[in-house]
Amino acid sequence: MHPLPITTKPPVAKRICGTRALKNARAIQKLAPHIIPAQEPLEGFSSILPFNVLQQFHTMSDAQLAAAHPDLPGVKKQLQPPPAKIQPFSLFGDPPFKGTIYFVRILFDLLSSGGAVNVSVADMKTAIQYATMAVRPLSAYCTQYGPNSLTVAQQEIDLVVPVTTAKFNDDTVRHWVYLVLGQKLLNHDSTCLIFLNPPGMINTDADVTQGILGYHDQGDCSYCFVNVLAPNLTIEDRLDLYADTLSHEIAEMTCDPDASFFNQEVCDACAGNCNNSWRNFFVDPAPSLGNSYVQSSRTFPPPFPYTYFIASIASQGHAGDCPAAGGACGYPPPIHAGRSELMFYDRANGVGEFYSVDGQAGMDLQLNHSDFRRDWSIIIPGNFTPKQNPQASSVLFYDGQGEFYNSDGRGHISLTGPTHSDWQKVWTHIIPGNFSGGAFSDLLFYNRAGGYGEFWHTDGKGGISRLGNQHTGWRTSWMVIIPGKFSDSPYTDLLFYDQAAGTGEFYRTDGKGSISLIKSNTNWRKTWAMIIPGKFSNGKYTDLLFYEPSSGTGDFWVTDGKGDVARIGGATNWRHDWTMIVPGNYSGGPYTDLLFYEASTGTGEFWKTDGRGNVSLIKGYNGWRTTWTSIFQL
């Protein structure tokens, strides 16, 4: 990031994307070669039909078309999308691009003068470096139109082009595509070539003197053509020489790699053709794409620092607007919501991170929060607020006072209700569950030293109210309290474990703040360090995983609804140093999966359970922070 320089005047008055005009020209050429011949004239398609007709052909009335050429209305009537391309709730019929972007450095050899014209090696490297940053948010925005994958090759491809004139057309560019693919043996299905055109060379289908700065099309592979307006490029491009057009064409190519006549252009409504010029600004480096986004603006250069920007992409449903409203153009990049979401909390450094997890335990950092308080002692996920979307959840933070936060499933959280500064500061355990039959999670608070517990009801607005009376005379040695279904009660049951005594007791709650003993088990091991609830069998009730570090034992047990347990499997060769075991849905299977975290080595491993007491590794990670205090699934 660099200091803000003095604002400069943009080098061109108009900024037009030529993709739609080229699509329309190719469609007319195919159906009516008597209007546009098969061989494109050197002066370009606009030498046959005016550029404004080519650009607006698909939206013009029959009378307007007939004024340009009497046969154009009939041509347009033939251009009806095939039924197979019409997909409900989808703008496009063809899948977005998945592959590699290669930059081509055109070495124009001027035979008439013996000179050479090209974009410098330094500027090519700058453009590649810029694109490598930009494809991350571009891909995220384009996921609105379907899954995509963008990789930027780090070495440019040189192509020597002998020319007798400074003019050429898109047919010429298509020939270059053919040459590059053949010379480099690139896969045409997963390749996009980007041609950066130096000042002084004129593509008559993207005449920079007319404000046409680029386009994308499909030849033997997808390709983009970009006019570079001056040398000495920079990543932040405050002189507006290339980045707006380059990002514009990459985005539209990603969503529409076949350059289909029937597909809309996703940037035109926001950036260029509709007298709209929105851009999204980012800083780099940043821990996540969500942290990288600064803001969107139509002012350029903006009055705030940034590292790079991209042309705005119309949100789904607004690509056909001309112009699109600000809210459809200026918005943060969509953050991926996975099969599940994990929150990590580092108390020592005041950091919270949210990750989406897919069905193969692949993790994607949604957002890093570096401003978390450093004194939260208990963090409890639950259903404390109404869900704003299916991925949403909520969290209780406690450090002697309590705060409820709503999570949107994409890494953002917001405070719900007041800060509860009047809570007791001595709670050692807070357990969520259905203790009242209400719509939101209730809470059991336990003070180990005092040997008492209280049930409270939450109202979905950050408020709480007591359920029943305070329970005194409880053991002061309960190490673990586990919520689950351990009986046929409609309310959440509880398992209390006293490690020192080797005792496990199951209790039933009654929905009014009272509990009753189901059964006391006095012969349990005194060495279990963790007890993890989950679905580890096909049973009706909550199952349990017991972990003993000293022997590396992990045992799976089923419960029977009457306070008895039976072992279904396990192993004695587990690591002896797991710091946390986090249950969740990380594989999409029918049983609860497990995330194991070992702090000293920063190791995380996702394991799948099979319903019979066995586990199998899904995916392992190294290099995690060694200071995570809490990890849980939201």
Side-chain angles (χ1 to χ4, degrees):
M1 195 182 305
H2 304 290
L4 304 180
I6 300 172
T7 300
T8 56
K9 184 178 179 181
V12 291
K14 293 189 294 184
R15 309 185 73 84
I16 300 171
C17 168
T19 298
R20 172 45 63 181
L22 195 59
K23 285 182 180 181
N24 289 344
R26 293 293 185 191
I28 298 168
Q29 182 186 48
K30 182 178 180 179
L31 295 173
H34 65 287
I35 301 176
I36 297 181
Q39 182 174 351
E40 181 189 1
L42 176 62
E43 297 300 325
F45 291 116
S46 61
S47 66
I48 300 173
L49 290 172
F51 181 78
N52 68 310
V53 173
L54 292 175
Q55 192 176 32
Q56 301 171 31
F57 164 77
H58 60 302
T59 61
M60 294 171 70
S61 67
D62 285 353
Q64 291 171 321
L65 291 172
H69 192 287
D71 293 343
L72 284 180
V75 174
K76 184 181 176 184
K77 286 182 173 62
Q78 297 180 63
L79 289 165
Q80 298 299 320
K85 298 295 183 184
I86 300 175
Q87 299 180 8
F89 312 113
S90 177
L91 179 62
F92 300 103
D94 298 309
F97 180 76
K98 294 182 180 181
T100 303
I101 294 170
Y102 296 87
F103 280 76
V104 180
R105 181 170 177 249
I106 317 167
L107 303 171
F108 290 101
D109 182 7
L110 299 177
L111 300 178
S112 57
S113 64
V117 179
N118 54 69
V119 175
S120 72
V121 171
D123 283 348
M124 291 296 296
K125 291 188 181 304
T126 297
I128 290 172
Q129 185 181 355
Y130 163 81
T132 302
M133 293 181 184
V135 292
R136 189 180 184 196
L138 286 170
S139 177
Y141 281 106
C142 291
T143 55
Q144 298 173 94
Y145 300 102
N148 64 82
S149 174
L150 299 175
T151 302
V152 178
Q154 295 302 297
Q155 182 62 49
E156 73 270 16
I157 297 171
D158 287 344
L159 179 67
V160 178
V161 177
V163 293
T164 57
T165 174
K167 287 186 177 181
F168 56 94
N169 60 20
D170 184 57
D171 272 3
T172 307
V173 179
R174 286 191 168 199
H175 180 63
W176 298 343
V177 172
Y178 168 79
L179 291 177
V180 172
L181 284 179
Q183 292 174 7
K184 299 300 179 180
L185 302 178
L186 301 176
N187 187 324
H188 67 91
D189 289 328
S190 59
T191 294
C192 173
L193 302 180
I194 293 184
F195 296 90
L196 298 186
N197 189 47
M201 301 302 294
I202 300 297
N203 181 340
T204 53
D205 289 308
D207 189 343
V208 70
T209 65
Q210 301 301 312
I212 308 169
L213 300 189
Y215 60 83
H216 89 276
D217 200 0
Q218 171 71 225
D220 289 311
C221 72
S222 299
Y223 64 95
C224 300
F225 182 89
V226 175
N227 282 315
V228 176
L229 300 181
N232 302 318
L233 305 183
T234 64
I235 299 297
E236 57 186 6
D237 194 25
R238 298 186 74 85
L239 297 181
D240 219 2
L241 303 178
Y242 76 103
D244 186 50
T245 304
L246 178 55
S247 58
H248 184 129
E249 301 309 334
I250 292 176
E252 293 191 345
M253 181 283 302
T254 301
C255 294
D256 182 23
D258 292 335
S260 169
F261 172 86
F262 303 106
N263 290 343
Q264 295 166 339
E265 292 67 56
V266 297
C267 289
D268 283 359
C270 294
N273 290 23
C274 296
N275 296 316
N276 214 2
S277 186
W278 280 92
R279 305 170 197 229
N280 303 319
F281 296 86
F282 299 86
V283 293
D284 189 90
S288 74
L289 181 57
N291 292 104
S292 178
Y293 174 74
V294 180
Q295 69 180 72
S296 302
S297 176
R298 285 188 294 184
T299 300
F300 189 82
F304 49 81
Y306 69 94
T307 306
Y308 68 95
F309 69 87
I310 63 171
S312 291
I313 298 166
S315 58
Q316 190 174 26
H318 295 280
D321 301 346
C322 191
C329 298
Y331 59 96
I335 297 176
H336 178 64
R339 177 176 293 278
S340 60
E341 183 183 25
L342 286 169
M343 176 182 163
F344 291 67
Y345 172 56
D346 177 350
R347 182 187 299 134
N349 295 294
V351 171
E353 290 186 347
F354 292 81
Y355 289 81
S356 64
V357 185
D358 63 20
Q360 291 79 43
M363 299 177 65
D364 185 22
L365 177 60
Q366 297 174 315
L367 211 58
N368 168 284
H369 297 264
S370 58
D371 57 352
F372 272 24
R373 288 173 52 170
R374 302 186 180 204
D375 48 6
W376 297 122
S377 57
I378 301 175
I379 303 177
I380 302 295
N383 179 28
F384 304 118
T385 60
K387 284 182 175 290
Q388 298 178 357
N389 58 66
Q391 290 81 32
S393 58
S394 43
V395 187
L396 165 62
F397 291 80
Y398 171 75
D399 70 334
Q401 60 184 14
E403 292 181 346
F404 293 95
Y405 284 81
N406 183 64
S407 167
D408 66 357
R410 291 175 169 83
H412 298 96
I413 61 173
S414 56
L415 180 65
T416 299
T419 296
H420 296 275
S421 56
D422 57 345
W423 285 12
Q424 293 192 36
K425 304 186 186 311
V426 293
W427 299 124
T428 52
H429 298 66
I430 303 177
I431 312 300
N434 175 16
F435 304 125
S436 70
F440 303 101
S441 296
D442 305 305
L443 296 166
L444 164 62
F445 294 80
Y446 169 58
N447 175 5
R448 187 174 181 180
Y452 61 86
E454 296 176 356
F455 289 93
W456 290 75
H457 169 73
T458 66
D459 64 1
K461 302 176 182 178
I464 64 172
S465 57
R466 174 84 73 80
L467 281 172
N469 299 315
Q470 184 183 84
H471 296 268
T472 58
W474 284 12
R475 291 193 190 204
T476 58
S477 51
W478 294 127
M479 185 185 81
V480 177
I481 304 175
I482 304 293
K485 181 174 178 58
F486 303 121
S487 76
D488 291 320
S489 167
Y491 307 106
T492 299
D493 305 306
L494 297 165
L495 164 61
F496 291 74
Y497 173 60
D498 180 345
Q499 185 187 49
T503 297
E505 292 185 349
F506 292 94
Y507 284 83
R508 181 185 296 110
T509 65
D510 68 354
K512 300 176 183 178
S514 297
I515 63 173
S516 57
L517 181 66
I518 302 172
K519 186 173 181 179
S520 177
N521 297 272
T522 59
N523 60 346
W524 286 11
R525 287 194 195 190
K526 299 180 181 181
T527 51
W528 297 126
M530 301 183 208
I531 303 176
I532 310 299
K535 180 176 175 59
F536 304 122
S537 74
N538 292 311
K540 176 181 177 183
Y541 306 102
T542 299
D543 305 307
L544 300 168
L545 163 63
F546 292 78
Y547 171 60
E548 180 186 77
S550 60
S551 63
T553 297
D555 274 355
F556 292 93
W557 295 70
V558 295
T559 64
D560 67 354
K562 300 175 183 179
D564 290 314
V565 296
R567 185 177 182 276
I568 57 171
T572 58
N573 61 348
W574 287 15
R575 288 177 59 155
H576 297 241
D577 50 5
W578 292 124
T579 311
M580 284 181 252
I581 303 176
V582 184
N585 179 7
Y586 311 124
S587 71
Y591 305 106
T592 300
D593 304 309
L594 300 166
L595 164 60
F596 293 78
Y597 169 66
E598 198 280 296
S600 65
T601 59
T603 299
E605 293 182 355
F606 290 89
W607 291 75
K608 184 177 182 178
T609 65
D610 68 353
R612 297 186 296 273
N614 302 306
V615 296
S616 56
L617 181 66
I618 308 171
K619 192 170 186 177
Y621 292 89
N622 296 311
W624 284 10
R625 287 188 186 223
T626 60
T627 50
W628 293 125
T629 312
S630 303
I631 305 174
F632 51 84
Q633 178 178 290
L634 292 172

